[in-house]
Amino acid sequence: MSTKQRETVEQMLRDAPFDLGGDVVTQRPLLEQMLTGHPLAPDVHTSAEQLGGVPVIFVAVAGSEASGVILHLHGGGFALGSASSSVGFVSDLARKARMSAVSVDYRLAPEYPYPAALDDATAAYRALLKREGGPERIVVSGESAGGNLALELLTAAKQRGLPMPAAAALFSPMTDLTATGESFTTKAGVDPNITAAAIKTRARDYLNATGTDPADPSVSPIFADLTGLPPLLVQAGSHEVLLDDATRLATRAAAHDVAVILDITPEVGHVFQAFSAILDEGDQALTRAGAFLHSHTSSAPE
């Protein structure tokens, strides 16, 4: 692990003008610029299409024989981010997993509050099931609020009788919209860019229009019945306020007989895997995530 690399990434995040809890009109273009500032690798091919009536971006890595497809849900507190801004992250994960990917451009709050994003994710998943002929070659992934939405999708799919995907990978998932984990206090001094106040602001945007309680299991998976979910990989950094959202989720999943791997990397922050090009820990974590996803699809029938 490189102390210099970690310090560089942390300083970049502290100096960035982006504020997760800030005004969405101002913050949306800032986050888009942050996440699309570097060109994609030349062997990454994308196409904007629709899946179940929902805008998506299909991602493929040339020369890779895909063992399956990743349905990815981007982060941004339910109010920021886009399918296109997540393509860099998704393409890196797809390369490591030897899979193709679909990044979902779900509707954002506050213009489209809960359950709009979940409805879009579910529609895309239903269409992908039909396209792939079943769930065996499908995995789900998501970072931050996208990790929450991935879990919302899985629990909703279970309730609706849809088949489970082969596995799911969750990167710094936001699992408790009440923001009550101890790490919101204990890690506040070392998290370079996420705060409890920002999480609560975005949760209000997501929920208030429909009067949904942030403790409702349908939006805070930490309180949900996780029985029957597919194998989960939960990754987080030890320097993020959402650390307890990850550790508590893994504990609950294990208590509900879900196969779960909790993978915590020390001294890095929120969705550190997004910096895999300049951070060894990020590259190594993505490699582990890719191997996890590939292991659950590589034996699927062609």
Side-chain angles (χ1 to χ4, degrees), residues 131-152:
R131 181 187 178 108
E132 293 294 314
E136 294 82 8
R137 288 167 47 88
I138 299 174
V139 297
V140 173
S141 68
E143 87 274 12
S144 193
N148 175 301
L149 190 54
L151 288 163
E152 285 187 32

Side-chain angles (χ1 to χ4, degrees), residues 176-178 203 207 212-217 219-220 223:
D176 176 9
L177 299 192
T178 68
L207 302 176
T212 305
D213 187 336
D216 189 317
V219 297
S220 285
F223 306 120

Side-chain angles (χ1 to χ4, degrees), residues 92-257:
D92 288 343
L93 178 60
R95 185 188 304 278
K96 300 283 192 182
R98 289 175 279 170
M99 302 175 75
S100 62
V102 183
S103 185
V104 181
D105 218 5
Y106 58 84
R107 288 170 290 173
L108 300 177
E111 296 92 334
Y112 300 98
Y114 174 82
L118 175 59
D119 290 344
D120 289 349
T122 303
Y125 180 61
R126 284 183 183 273
L128 191 59
L129 283 169
K130 184 176 181 180
R131 181 187 178 108
E132 293 294 314
E136 294 82 8
R137 288 167 47 88
I138 299 174
V139 297
V140 173
S141 68
E143 87 274 12
S144 193
N148 175 301
L149 190 54
L151 288 163
E152 285 187 32
L153 170 62
L154 295 178
T155 56
K158 180 181 67 171
Q159 292 167 0
R160 297 170 187 178
L162 295 176
M164 288 291 103
L170 312 169
F171 304 93
S172 298
M174 184 193 303
T175 64
D176 176 9
L177 299 192
T178 68
T180 55
E182 289 185 7
S183 57
F184 279 106
T185 300
T186 60
K187 298 296 181 177
V190 293
D191 191 317
N193 64 337
I194 307 294
T195 65
I199 298 296
K200 290 178 180 178
T201 295
R202 296 283 78 99
R204 286 193 298 269
D205 285 347
Y206 187 49
L207 302 176
N208 275 9
T210 54
T212 305
D213 187 336
D216 189 317
S218 64
V219 297
S220 285
I222 194 66
F223 306 120
D225 179 2
L226 304 180
T227 306
L229 264 58
L232 302 178
L233 171 68
V234 183
Q235 289 189 342
S238 72
H239 279 192
E240 61 173 309
V241 294
L242 287 170
L243 176 61
D244 281 4
D245 281 41
T247 58
R248 291 162 66 206
L249 171 71
T251 299
R252 187 168 182 88
H256 290 181
D257 298 319

